[in-house]
Amino acid sequence: MLKLAITLAALAALPGAAFAQTSEAQPSLDKREKRVDAPPISAYKIILVGDSTMAPGSGWASVFCAYHVKSSVACLNLGRGGRSTRSYQAEGSWKIALSEASAQGYAKKYVLIQFGHNDQSTKAERWTDLNTDFQSNLKQMVLDVRAAGAVPVLVTPLSRREFRGGKLNNTLAAWADAVRKIALETRTPVVELNRDSAKAVEQLGPVEAMKLAMAEPLPEEVAAAKAGTTLRPRPAPESTPATGPKIGPRGRTIEKFDYTHLGEVGAKAMAKIVAYDLAVAVPELSSQLLP
């Protein structure tokens, strides 16, 4: 350390050393182009609204924002775990999303809406009826987005990876049909994530599809998948108090194995599908999306 300090001091004492550093920091004026103002930017915004299959740490949307949009796109993941079309609005998350959708300065703004998993739930604050309030909630969301000056895009819910007798048991197919119905009624673009994620999972098969999960399966879960019928998903492990130093980031995502949520491999696979399907559904956005 002392030797390094002496060397640096000796260099600083050389005649012209400071001048040499300054002259190399920036080309002289005669070597620079004549200054002009940058042209106005044509920026876009994509807001992602949905449940845990979209949320950071357990879904595809953060990977979509990280790898599938150009720098001219502000991409905001507002997916939240455990939310349905009803609870997302009741808790105030939808109001936040609409505030983001009304922001000025963008050439165009898009709000991608994906629900179904928790609307299908039996939990008191989550469930909706497939044929009534789920559809009316989606329709109102479409109207709200348009009123905020943005473009709504409906996304059919990500397929679960449950198998029965070697065949995919797509428990969200009816919910995807309901999304398509509302898209048709409201003339809203639709991203066919349920259809295309189901195809991808079927091609992988019950064993390989396990690699899309957040955590490793147990031996008995692998054995059941090899036999063609996946086991019921086990409960998530209980959250334990954070340990370690009380400085720095302390938030945690509980990693669990199931047939719904996505780990890194799964998130990358599904984000790629969304990017392709979004470019097909909304062609004017395709130049802003990366494959």
Side-chain angles (χ1 to χ4, degrees):
M1 190 70 183
L2 178 61
K3 183 177 180 181
L4 176 61
I6 293 172
T7 303
L8 292 174
L11 287 172
L14 290 174
F19 174 77
Q21 292 173 4
T22 303
S23 65
E24 292 174 2
Q26 187 174 26
S28 60
L29 282 172
D30 63 323
K31 293 182 179 179
R32 302 179 221 168
E33 294 181 0
K34 183 179 178 181
R35 188 180 351 221
V36 296
D37 289 335
I41 187 173
S42 185
Y44 298 81
K45 188 174 190 179
I46 297 176
I47 302 160
L48 301 141
V49 168
D51 54 35
S52 57
T53 62
M54 186 185 264
S58 59
W60 54 263
S62 292
V63 172
F64 171 84
C65 289
Y67 294 104
H68 295 287
V69 300
K70 293 171 64 174
S71 62
S72 51
V73 178
C75 194
L76 179 61
N77 182 8
L78 294 182
R80 307 194 195 284
R83 272 61 169 190
S84 67
T85 55
R86 187 161 66 90
S87 62
Y88 197 91
Q89 294 183 78
E91 71 181 8
S93 285
W94 183 237
K95 185 177 180 180
I96 293 171
L98 291 177
S99 177
E100 293 288 346
S102 64
Q104 301 300 303
Y106 295 95
K108 215 156 189 181
K109 298 160 291 185
Y110 301 85
V111 181
L112 273 63
I113 303 167
Q114 181 209 259
F115 287 102
H117 298 82
N118 296 300
D119 290 82
Q120 191 184 47
S121 169
T122 58
K123 291 194 175 181
E125 78 281 3
R126 299 182 185 181
W127 71 264
T128 64
D129 184 85
L130 171 62
N131 297 310
T132 56
D133 48 343
F134 175 66
Q135 296 184 36
S136 62
N137 288 345
L138 282 181
K139 187 178 293 187
Q140 187 59 53
M141 286 178 156
V142 166
L143 297 175
D144 289 347
V145 170
R146 287 178 177 152
V151 178
V153 180
L154 293 175
V155 182
T156 57
L158 179 76
S159 174
R160 301 187 197 275
R161 303 179 298 278
E162 299 171 355
F163 283 78
R164 297 289 180 271
K167 301 290 185 180
L168 179 69
N169 183 29
N170 188 356
T171 58
L172 286 152
W175 297 82
D177 285 341
V179 174
R180 295 183 190 105
K181 178 185 174 185
I182 298 305
L184 187 62
E185 289 179 3
T186 59
R187 297 184 178 181
T188 302
V190 59
V191 171
E192 287 286 1
L193 180 57
N194 184 266
R195 179 195 68 194
D196 293 340
S197 61
K199 285 181 181 178
V201 170
E202 283 177 320
Q203 288 175 357
L204 287 171
V207 177
E208 287 298 306
M210 289 181 160
K211 295 178 181 178
L212 306 182
M214 296 175 72
E216 293 293 321
L218 297 174
E220 55 266 35
E221 289 167 332
V222 175
K226 287 180 177 178
T229 299
T230 52
L231 298 180
R232 291 179 61 84
R234 48 191 156 98
E238 289 189 14
S239 178
T240 55
T243 57
K246 294 184 178 180
I247 56 173
R250 292 171 59 80
R252 291 181 299 162
T253 298
I254 299 176
E255 293 192 354
K256 59 179 180 179
F257 174 82
D258 62 21
Y259 308 97
T260 301
H261 300 97
L262 301 169
E264 183 178 358
V265 172
K268 286 182 177 180
M270 297 308 159
K272 191 176 184 70
I273 288 173
V274 171
Y276 180 86
D277 285 354
L278 179 58
V280 172
V282 188
E284 66 267 25
L285 192 53
S286 61
S287 64
Q288 304 303 312
L289 299 172
L290 301 174

